[in-house]
Amino acid sequence: MGRRGIFWAGMMLALVVAAYTVPYTLLSGVDAWYGAFLFWVLFGLAAIGVNAAISRSWRD
């Protein structure tokens, strides 16, 4: 895995850590449903983008 792969793996690790920490820290005081909904939509889009970047160079 080259430097680029390590970068994207680090980004995915950061997303996983954010998935655990943000809802229980930054969003813990938000009572409205759309606070968490916005976070999970943005998280999902970011995870899809990082996974696409990781698998872009895969070949058969």
Coordinates of all heavy atoms in Angstrom, one line a residue:
M1 N 0.9 -1.2 0.0 CA 0.0 0.0 0.0 C 0.9 1.2 0.0 O 1.8 1.4 0.8 CB -0.9 0.0 1.2 CG -1.9 1.1 1.3 SD -3.0 1.2 2.7 CE -3.8 -0.3 2.7
G2 N 0.7 2.1 -0.9 CA 1.5 3.3 -1.1 C 1.0 4.4 -0.1 O 0.1 4.2 0.7
R3 N 1.6 5.5 -0.3 CA 1.3 6.7 0.6 C -0.2 7.1 0.4 O -0.8 7.5 1.3 CB 2.2 7.9 0.3 CG 3.6 7.6 0.7 CD 4.5 8.8 0.3 NE 4.0 10.0 0.9 CZ 4.6 10.7 1.9 NH1 5.8 10.3 2.3 NH2 4.1 11.8 2.4
R4 N -0.6 7.0 -0.9 CA -2.0 7.4 -1.1 C -3.0 6.4 -0.4 O -4.0 6.9 0.1 CB -2.2 7.4 -2.6 CG -3.6 7.8 -3.1 CD -3.6 7.9 -4.6 NE -5.0 8.1 -5.0 CZ -5.5 7.9 -6.2 NH1 -4.6 7.6 -7.1 NH2 -6.7 8.1 -6.4
G5 N -2.7 5.2 -0.5 CA -3.6 4.2 0.2 C -3.6 4.4 1.7 O -4.6 4.2 2.3
I6 N -2.4 4.7 2.3 CA -2.4 5.0 3.7 C -3.2 6.2 4.1 O -3.9 6.2 5.1 CB -0.9 5.1 4.2 CG1 -0.2 3.7 4.0 CG2 -0.8 5.6 5.6 CD1 1.3 3.8 4.2
F7 N -3.1 7.2 3.2 CA -3.9 8.4 3.4 C -5.4 8.1 3.5 O -6.1 8.5 4.4 CB -3.6 9.5 2.4 CG -4.6 10.6 2.4 CD1 -4.4 11.6 3.4 CD2 -5.6 10.7 1.5 CE1 -5.3 12.7 3.4 CE2 -6.5 11.8 1.5 CZ -6.3 12.8 2.5
W8 N -5.9 7.4 2.5 CA -7.3 7.1 2.4 C -7.8 6.1 3.5 O -8.9 6.2 4.0 CB -7.7 6.5 1.0 CG -7.7 7.6 0.0 CD1 -6.8 7.7 -1.1 CD2 -8.5 8.7 -0.1 NE1 -7.1 8.8 -1.8 CE2 -8.1 9.5 -1.2 CE3 -9.6 9.2 0.7 CZ2 -8.7 10.7 -1.5 CZ3 -10.2 10.4 0.4 CH2 -9.8 11.1 -0.7
A9 N -6.9 5.2 3.9 CA -7.2 4.3 5.0 C -7.3 5.1 6.3 O -8.2 4.9 7.2 CB -6.1 3.2 5.2
G10 N -6.4 6.1 6.5 CA -6.5 7.0 7.6 C -7.8 7.9 7.6 O -8.4 8.1 8.7
M11 N -8.2 8.3 6.4 CA -9.5 9.0 6.3 C -10.7 8.1 6.7 O -11.6 8.6 7.4 CB -9.7 9.5 4.9 CG -8.7 10.6 4.5 SD -8.9 12.1 5.5 CE -10.5 12.7 4.9
M12 N -10.6 6.9 6.3 CA -11.7 6.0 6.7 C -11.7 5.7 8.2 O -12.8 5.7 8.8 CB -11.6 4.6 5.9 CG -12.8 3.8 6.0 SD -14.2 4.7 5.2 CE -15.5 3.7 5.7
L13 N -10.5 5.6 8.8 CA -10.4 5.4 10.2 C -11.0 6.7 11.0 O -11.7 6.5 12.0 CB -9.0 5.2 10.6 CG -8.7 5.0 12.1 CD1 -9.4 3.8 12.6 CD2 -7.2 4.9 12.4
A14 N -10.7 7.9 10.4 CA -11.2 9.1 11.0 C -12.7 9.1 10.9 O -13.4 9.6 11.9 CB -10.6 10.3 10.3
L15 N -13.3 8.6 9.8 CA -14.7 8.6 9.7 C -15.4 7.6 10.7 O -16.4 7.9 11.3 CB -15.1 8.2 8.3 CG -15.1 9.3 7.2 CD1 -15.3 8.7 5.9 CD2 -16.1 10.4 7.5
V16 N -14.7 6.5 10.9 CA -15.2 5.5 11.9 C -15.2 6.1 13.3 O -16.1 5.9 14.1 CB -14.4 4.2 11.8 CG1 -14.8 3.2 12.9 CG2 -14.7 3.5 10.5
V17 N -14.1 6.7 13.6 CA -14.0 7.4 15.0 C -15.1 8.5 15.1 O -15.7 8.6 16.1 CB -12.6 8.0 15.2 CG1 -12.5 8.8 16.4 CG2 -11.6 6.8 15.3
A18 N -15.3 9.2 14.0 CA -16.3 10.3 14.1 C -17.7 9.7 14.2 O -18.6 10.2 14.9 CB -16.3 11.1 12.8
A19 N -17.9 8.5 13.6 CA -19.3 7.8 13.8 C -19.6 7.5 15.2 O -20.7 7.4 15.6 CB -19.3 6.6 12.9
Y20 N -18.5 7.2 16.0 CA -18.8 6.8 17.4 C -18.8 8.1 18.3 O -19.5 8.1 19.3 CB -17.7 5.9 17.9 CG -17.9 4.5 17.4 CD1 -17.2 3.9 16.4 CD2 -18.9 3.7 18.1 CE1 -17.4 2.6 16.0 CE2 -19.1 2.4 17.7 CZ -18.4 1.9 16.6 OH -18.6 0.6 16.2
T21 N -18.0 9.1 18.0 CA -17.8 10.2 18.9 C -18.8 11.3 18.7 O -19.3 11.9 19.7 CB -16.4 10.8 18.9 OG1 -16.1 11.2 17.5 CG2 -15.4 9.8 19.3
V22 N -19.1 11.7 17.5 CA -19.9 12.8 17.2 C -21.4 12.7 17.8 O -21.9 13.6 18.5 CB -19.9 13.2 15.7 CG1 -21.0 14.2 15.4 CG2 -18.6 13.7 15.3
P23 N -22.0 11.6 17.6 CA -23.4 11.5 18.1 C -23.5 11.5 19.6 O -24.5 12.0 20.2 CB -23.9 10.1 17.6 CG -23.1 9.8 16.4 CD -21.7 10.4 16.7
Y24 N -22.4 11.1 20.3 CA -22.5 11.0 21.8 C -21.9 12.3 22.4 O -22.0 12.4 23.6 CB -21.8 9.8 22.3 CG -22.5 8.5 21.9 CD1 -22.0 7.7 21.0 CD2 -23.8 8.2 22.4 CE1 -22.7 6.5 20.6 CE2 -24.5 7.1 22.1 CZ -23.9 6.3 21.1 OH -24.6 5.1 20.8
T25 N -21.2 13.1 21.6 CA -20.6 14.3 22.2 C -21.2 15.6 21.6 O -22.0 16.3 22.3 CB -19.1 14.3 21.9 OG1 -18.8 14.3 20.5 CG2 -18.4 13.2 22.7
L26 N -21.0 15.9 20.4 CA -21.5 17.1 19.8 C -23.0 17.1 19.6 O -23.6 18.2 19.7 CB -20.8 17.3 18.4 CG -19.3 17.5 18.5 CD1 -18.7 17.6 17.1 CD2 -18.9 18.7 19.3
L27 N -23.6 16.0 19.3 CA -25.0 16.0 19.0 C -25.8 15.5 20.2 O -27.0 15.3 20.1 CB -25.3 15.1 17.8 CG -24.8 15.5 16.5 CD1 -25.1 14.5 15.4 CD2 -25.4 16.9 16.1
S28 N -25.2 15.3 21.4 CA -25.9 14.8 22.6 C -27.0 15.8 23.1 O -28.0 15.4 23.6 CB -25.0 14.5 23.7 OG -24.3 15.6 24.1
G29 N -26.8 17.1 22.8 CA -27.8 18.0 23.3 C -28.8 18.4 22.3 O -29.7 19.2 22.6
V30 N -28.7 17.9 21.1 CA -29.7 18.2 20.0 C -30.9 17.3 20.1 O -30.7 16.1 19.9 CB -29.0 18.1 18.6 CG1 -30.0 18.4 17.5 CG2 -27.8 19.0 18.5
D31 N -32.0 17.9 20.4 CA -33.2 17.1 20.5 C -34.0 16.8 19.2 O -34.8 16.0 19.1 CB -34.2 17.7 21.5 CG -33.6 17.7 22.9 OD1 -32.8 16.8 23.2 OD2 -33.9 18.6 23.7
A32 N -33.7 17.7 18.2 CA -34.4 17.6 17.0 C -33.8 16.4 16.1 O -32.6 16.2 16.1 CB -34.3 18.9 16.2
W33 N -34.7 15.7 15.4 CA -34.2 14.5 14.7 C -33.3 14.9 13.5 O -32.5 14.2 13.1 CB -35.5 13.8 14.1 CG -36.3 14.6 13.2 CD1 -37.3 15.4 13.5 CD2 -36.1 14.6 11.8 NE1 -37.8 16.0 12.3 CE2 -37.1 15.5 11.3 CE3 -35.3 14.0 10.8 CZ2 -37.2 15.8 9.9 CZ3 -35.4 14.3 9.5 CH2 -36.4 15.2 9.1
Y34 N -33.5 16.1 13.0 CA -32.8 16.5 11.8 C -31.3 16.8 12.1 O -30.5 16.8 11.2 CB -33.4 17.7 11.1 CG -33.7 18.9 12.0 CD1 -32.8 19.8 12.3 CD2 -35.0 19.1 12.4 CE1 -33.1 20.9 13.1 CE2 -35.3 20.1 13.2 CZ -34.3 21.0 13.6 OH -34.7 22.1 14.4
G35 N -30.9 17.0 13.3 CA -29.5 17.1 13.7 C -28.7 15.8 13.4 O -27.7 15.8 12.7
A36 N -29.2 14.7 13.9 CA -28.6 13.4 13.7 C -28.8 13.0 12.2 O -27.9 12.4 11.6 CB -29.2 12.4 14.6
F37 N -29.9 13.3 11.6 CA -30.1 13.0 10.2 C -29.1 13.6 9.3 O -28.5 13.0 8.4 CB -31.6 13.4 9.8 CG -31.9 13.0 8.4 CD1 -32.2 11.7 8.0 CD2 -32.0 14.0 7.4 CE1 -32.5 11.3 6.7 CE2 -32.3 13.6 6.1 CZ -32.5 12.3 5.8
L38 N -28.9 14.9 9.5 CA -27.9 15.6 8.7 C -26.5 15.0 8.9 O -25.8 14.8 7.9 CB -27.8 17.1 9.0 CG -26.8 17.9 8.3 CD1 -27.0 17.9 6.8 CD2 -26.8 19.3 8.9
F39 N -26.1 14.7 10.1 CA -24.8 14.1 10.3 C -24.7 12.7 9.6 O -23.7 12.5 9.0 CB -24.6 13.9 11.8 CG -23.4 13.0 12.1 CD1 -22.1 13.5 11.9 CD2 -23.5 11.7 12.5 CE1 -21.0 12.7 12.1 CE2 -22.4 10.9 12.7 CZ -21.1 11.4 12.6
W40 N -25.7 11.9 9.7 CA -25.6 10.6 9.1 C -25.6 10.6 7.6 O -25.0 9.8 6.9 CB -26.7 9.6 9.6 CG -26.4 9.2 11.0 CD1 -27.1 9.5 12.2 CD2 -25.2 8.5 11.5 NE1 -26.4 9.0 13.3 CE2 -25.3 8.3 12.9 CE3 -24.2 7.9 10.8 CZ2 -24.4 7.7 13.6 CZ3 -23.2 7.2 11.6 CH2 -23.3 7.1 13.0
V41 N -26.3 11.6 7.0 CA -26.3 11.8 5.6 C -24.9 12.2 5.1 O -24.4 11.6 4.1 CB -27.4 12.8 5.1 CG1 -27.2 13.2 3.7 CG2 -28.8 12.2 5.3
L42 N -24.4 13.2 5.8 CA -23.0 13.6 5.4 C -22.0 12.5 5.7 O -21.0 12.3 4.9 CB -22.7 14.9 6.2 CG -23.5 16.1 5.9 CD1 -23.1 17.3 6.8 CD2 -23.4 16.5 4.4
F43 N -22.1 11.8 6.8 CA -21.2 10.7 7.0 C -21.3 9.6 5.9 O -20.3 9.1 5.5 CB -21.5 10.0 8.4 CG -20.8 8.8 8.6 CD1 -19.5 8.8 9.1 CD2 -21.4 7.5 8.4 CE1 -18.8 7.7 9.3 CE2 -20.7 6.4 8.6 CZ -19.4 6.4 9.1
G44 N -22.5 9.3 5.5 CA -22.7 8.3 4.5 C -22.1 8.7 3.2 O -21.4 7.9 2.5
L45 N -22.3 9.9 2.8 CA -21.7 10.5 1.6 C -20.2 10.5 1.6 O -19.5 10.1 0.7 CB -22.2 11.8 1.2 CG -23.7 11.9 0.9 CD1 -24.1 13.4 0.7 CD2 -23.9 11.2 -0.4
A46 N -19.6 10.8 2.8 CA -18.2 10.8 2.9 C -17.6 9.4 2.9 O -16.6 9.2 2.3 CB -17.8 11.5 4.3
A47 N -18.3 8.5 3.5 CA -17.8 7.1 3.5 C -17.9 6.5 2.1 O -17.0 5.8 1.7 CB -18.7 6.2 4.5
I48 N -18.9 6.8 1.4 CA -19.0 6.4 0.0 C -17.9 7.0 -0.8 O -17.2 6.3 -1.6 CB -20.4 6.7 -0.6 CG1 -21.5 5.9 0.0 CG2 -20.3 6.6 -2.2 CD1 -22.9 6.3 -0.4
G49 N -17.6 8.2 -0.7 CA -16.5 8.9 -1.4 C -15.1 8.3 -1.0 O -14.3 8.1 -1.9
V50 N -14.9 8.0 0.2 CA -13.6 7.5 0.6 C -13.5 6.0 0.1 O -12.4 5.6 -0.4 CB -13.4 7.5 2.2 CG1 -12.2 6.7 2.6 CG2 -13.3 8.9 2.6
N51 N -14.5 5.2 0.2 CA -14.5 3.9 -0.3 C -14.3 3.9 -1.9 O -13.5 3.0 -2.4 CB -15.7 3.1 0.0 CG -15.7 2.6 1.4 OD1 -14.7 2.1 1.9 ND2 -16.8 2.7 2.1
A52 N -14.8 4.8 -2.6 CA -14.6 4.9 -4.0 C -13.2 5.3 -4.3 O -12.6 4.8 -5.2 CB -15.6 6.0 -4.6
A53 N -12.6 6.2 -3.5 CA -11.2 6.6 -3.7 C -10.3 5.4 -3.4 O -9.3 5.2 -4.1 CB -10.9 7.8 -2.8
I54 N -10.6 4.6 -2.4 CA -9.7 3.5 -2.0 C -9.8 2.4 -3.1 O -8.8 1.9 -3.5 CB -10.2 2.9 -0.7 CG1 -9.8 3.8 0.5 CG2 -9.6 1.5 -0.5 CD1 -10.4 3.4 1.8
S55 N -11.0 2.1 -3.7 CA -11.1 1.1 -4.6 C -10.9 1.5 -6.1 O -11.0 0.7 -7.0 CB -12.5 0.4 -4.5 OG -13.5 1.3 -4.7
R56 N -10.6 2.8 -6.3 CA -10.4 3.3 -7.7 C -9.3 2.6 -8.4 O -9.4 2.3 -9.6 CB -10.2 4.8 -7.6 CG -10.0 5.4 -9.0 CD -9.7 6.9 -8.9 NE -10.5 7.5 -7.8 CZ -10.0 8.6 -7.1 NH1 -8.9 9.1 -7.4 NH2 -10.8 9.1 -6.2
S57 N -8.2 2.3 -7.7 CA -7.1 1.7 -8.4 C -7.0 0.2 -8.4 O -6.0 -0.4 -8.8 CB -5.8 2.2 -7.7 OG -5.7 1.8 -6.4
W58 N -8.1 -0.5 -7.9 CA -8.1 -1.9 -7.9 C -8.2 -2.5 -9.3 O -9.0 -2.0 -10.2 CB -9.3 -2.5 -7.1 CG -9.1 -2.2 -5.6 CD1 -8.1 -1.6 -5.0 CD2 -10.0 -2.6 -4.6 NE1 -8.3 -1.6 -3.6 CE2 -9.5 -2.2 -3.4 CE3 -11.3 -3.2 -4.6 CZ2 -10.2 -2.4 -2.2 CZ3 -11.9 -3.4 -3.4 CH2 -11.4 -3.0 -2.2
R59 N -7.5 -3.5 -9.6 CA -7.5 -4.1 -11.0 C -7.7 -5.6 -10.8 O -7.3 -6.2 -9.8 CB -6.2 -3.8 -11.7 CG -6.0 -2.4 -11.9 CD -6.8 -1.8 -13.1 NE -6.5 -0.4 -13.3 CZ -7.3 0.6 -13.1 NH1 -8.5 0.3 -12.7 NH2 -7.0 1.8 -13.4
D60 N -8.2 -6.3 -11.8 CA -8.3 -7.7 -11.8 C -7.0 -8.4 -12.1 O -6.1 -8.0 -12.7 CB -9.3 -8.2 -12.9 CG -10.7 -8.0 -12.4 OD1 -10.9 -8.0 -11.2 OD2 -11.6 -8.0 -13.3

